[in-house]
Amino acid sequence: MARIVVVGSINMDLVTTVGRRPEAGETVSGDRFALVPGGKGSNQAIAARRAGAEVELVGAVGADVFAEALRRVLRDAGVGDSGLRAVEGPSGIASIVVDGGGENTIIVVAGANGRMTELSAADLDAIAGADVLMCQLEIPVLTVLAAARHARANGTVVLLNPSPVQELPDEVWAEVDVAVVNEGEAARLAGVLTAVPHVVTTLGAAGASYRGPGGLALAHPGVRVQVVDTTGAGDAFTGALAAHWHEGPATALAWACTAGALTTTKLGASASIPESAEIERLLAETEVR
Ligand code: RIB
């Protein structure tokens, strides 16, 4: 079983579903509203746990009504939360609109995630003892850099999902072993990704591709499902990939594509991330066909 430490965000997602998004200045009636724990760090931690890894999240919640629910979702999923600190002010939130086609738009307000500026001695020990460190870009870049440096120095694989995409100092890229990007991120980061040893690119309904050392290239086709909400699909993909990375890129891609596809079949990020039995069942069916 892989041991994974996620240094990343945790948000409360305020999710509204609507047939059609409003134009600027227009008011429309929505269909449903739900509060669903999310955040790329937390979603990826839960996804890795459900895909079979032992996982700990290092992150921050605020001092508000959302903090307890955010902590509980990790505990219920079996993700270690001893690295989750409480800081002053609000927790991170994401305002998410899901349209009739299952596509989303997301506005994130960092809150406590923006104050995740220090790593404790216990956090550093956890990173050093893990097989994989998994990070995203919803916490300060300097914290990601400190975690990645420490991981590299201790032989822990550094997996970065550079989302929301932004320019990063070269020092960060120098520490990355595996980058997981979508097509937009791949285009925007094309220059820097050439120096990353392993690059996995998600292709939406078309599956994913992998480029590794020595020109090794692989692809996994899309897994056909009925799409309800694409929120968190990339996170489920990344978490499952990390959980199975030690089995090689072909197996990891298959788990990742299947977990990502299953996540789109329900509303809400953390609520829709599949358990490993569900992933294994669909994997087996896909192989038989
Ligand atoms: O990737 C989906 C996540 O992005 C949501 O859960 C939201 O919190 C934002 O971080």
Side-chain angles (χ1 to χ4, degrees), residues 63-155:
D64 59 8
V65 290
F66 295 143
E68 186 45 38
L70 295 178
R71 201 177 275 282
R72 198 175 332 117
V73 76
L74 294 175
R75 285 195 190 141
D76 289 351
V79 172
D81 69 345
S82 56
L84 192 66
R85 55 274 267 156
V87 299
E88 282 184 10
S91 298
I93 65 102
S95 181
I96 301 182
V97 177
V98 182
D99 69 21
E103 288 301 330
N104 63 53
T105 46
I106 305 181
I107 300 171
V108 175
V109 181
N113 299 304
R115 294 189 293 284
M116 186 51 220
T117 49
E118 303 283 333
L119 293 173
S120 69
D123 299 335
L124 293 171
D125 283 350
I127 291 168
D131 299 306
V132 179
L133 166 74
M134 185 156 54
C135 294
Q136 316 74 29
L137 299 178
E138 288 186 331
I139 60 168
V141 168
L142 287 179
T143 309
V144 173
L145 176 59
R149 273 195 176 137
H150 191 69
R152 251 292 170 86
N154 287 280

Side-chain angles (χ1 to χ4, degrees), residues 43-60:
N43 293 342
Q44 292 180 21
I46 291 171
R49 174 73 193 129
R50 291 190 180 154
E54 188 185 308
V55 187
E56 194 165 315
L57 177 71
V58 173

Side-chain angles (χ1 to χ4, degrees), residues 9-13 36-41 43-44 93-96 104 106-108 138 161 163-164 230-235 268-270:
S9 60
I10 183 161
N11 296 327
M12 183 57 83
D13 291 352
V36 187
K40 295 184 194 303
N43 293 342
Q44 292 180 21
I93 65 102
S95 181
I96 301 182
N104 63 53
I106 305 181
I107 300 171
V108 175
E138 288 186 331
N161 170 221
S163 180
T230 55
T231 311
D235 297 333
S270 60

Side-chain angles (χ1 to χ4, degrees), residues 240-258:
L241 185 93
H244 291 272
W245 186 250
H246 61 284
E247 293 167 63
T251 302
L253 269 193
W255 272 81
C257 285
T258 309

Side-chain angles (χ1 to χ4, degrees), residues 5-51:
V5 170
V6 180
V7 178
S9 60
I10 183 161
N11 296 327
M12 183 57 83
D13 291 352
L14 286 57
V15 185
T16 306
T17 64
V18 65
R20 174 183 69 77
R21 265 168 245 273
E23 306 287 337
E26 185 189 12
T27 302
V28 296
S29 291
D31 305 315
R32 288 169 70 187
F33 174 78
L35 289 175
V36 187
K40 295 184 194 303
S42 175
N43 293 342
Q44 292 180 21
I46 291 171
R49 174 73 193 129
R50 291 190 180 154

